[in-house]
Amino acid sequence: MDCAPWSDLSEPSVTYVPATVTRSAKIVVAGGFGVGKTTLIGSVSEVRPLRMEEPITQASAGVDDLRRAPHKTTTTVAMDFGRIHMAGGRIALYLFGLPGQSRFQPLWEDLAEGALGCLVLADTRDLDASHDALGLLDGADIPYAVAINAFAEAPVYPEEELREALTLDADTPLTVCDARDRTSSLHALITLTEYLSEHRSAALMESRR
């Protein structure tokens, strides 16, 4: 994969869609509050990521659970956005990060419209926080993969226990990543895109029967 990371330099490495791009896809990144969606998109985006964040204020007390993220000072209130290129620059993936709190569900539905698929981030310290996003995707019939964001202090469970806790279908991809690490995050996205390709091929074959 020949793509370069965005950095904090004054100029982003890529500011345009290369002429080599022949296909594009919208991918959403979902999951609970503080699970690492903003971090993952920032780690892989080749353009300066768009972040719509606001400071966490006293108004969020009792609403947003900060016990697992006591140093978190901002929260996404609309979306994150990034872009990467794959397959030798022929495919552009547009990444849209959904806000984690369930009160933003109407916005989730708008942002998820037209998405080819979704990468759902999960935290083993609170797997229940992923259920709202998973329910939305199932209801909208959007295929998805799940990536466990490996926080250092989070417990580790066998895959079968994770699948049962998240009520995943047998063919739904489940992987592990570190959202801070570009290579690890890219592997999670590759897992999703390979699944989407297989899912699309299966759907085409079924339609031709």
Side-chain angles (χ1 to χ4, degrees):
M1 182 176 301
D2 53 349
C3 47
W6 172 82
S7 69
D8 285 320
L9 300 176
S10 58
E11 293 295 331
S13 57
V14 179
T15 58
Y16 56 88
V17 178
T20 55
V21 172
T22 58
R23 299 176 64 186
S24 63
K26 177 182 181 180
I27 300 294
V28 291
V29 181
F33 175 71
V35 78
K37 301 178 295 295
T38 298
T39 301
L40 183 139
I41 290 176
S43 74
V44 300
S45 182
E46 296 170 18
V47 297
R48 184 184 295 275
L50 172 65
R51 293 171 174 163
M52 297 183 180
E53 296 186 310
E54 291 292 337
I56 294 175
T57 66
Q58 188 60 34
S60 70
V63 178
D64 297 328
D65 188 354
L66 294 173
R67 288 174 298 175
R68 282 173 293 277
H71 303 296
K72 186 174 177 63
T73 59
T74 62
T75 183
T76 301
V77 295
M79 69 175 186
D80 297 304
F81 174 78
R83 189 183 77 221
I84 64 172
H85 303 95
M86 306 177 73
R90 296 188 300 276
I91 300 175
L93 295 185
Y94 295 92
L95 307 176
F96 291 80
L98 310 187
Q101 301 93 320
S102 59
R103 63 180 179 272
F104 290 112
Q105 186 159 345
L107 183 58
W108 296 355
E109 296 169 356
D110 289 340
L111 288 175
E113 185 175 356
L116 182 65
C118 178
L119 181 66
V120 180
L121 286 183
D123 181 349
T124 59
R125 297 170 298 178
D126 186 11
L127 291 172
D128 288 345
S130 303
H131 286 162
D132 286 340
L134 293 172
L136 171 69
L137 295 167
D138 286 332
D141 199 25
I142 296 174
Y144 58 85
V146 176
I148 303 296
N149 192 8
F151 291 94
E153 67 278 19
V156 177
Y157 300 107
E159 179 176 333
E160 58 270 21
E161 291 186 20
L162 292 172
R163 286 187 172 277
E164 182 177 358
L166 295 169
T167 61
L168 300 181
D169 291 339
D171 64 340
T172 299
L174 176 62
T175 187
V176 177
C177 75
D178 181 343
R180 302 166 300 177
D181 181 78
R182 174 176 171 76
T183 300
S184 180
S185 297
L186 283 173
H187 284 165
L189 285 169
I190 290 170
T191 296
L192 170 64
T193 56
E194 289 177 343
Y195 172 64
L196 294 177
S197 178
E198 295 170 0
H199 187 272
R200 183 177 179 83
S201 297
L204 286 173
M205 291 180 63
E206 184 65 26
S207 67
R208 292 172 180 171
R209 290 181 178 177

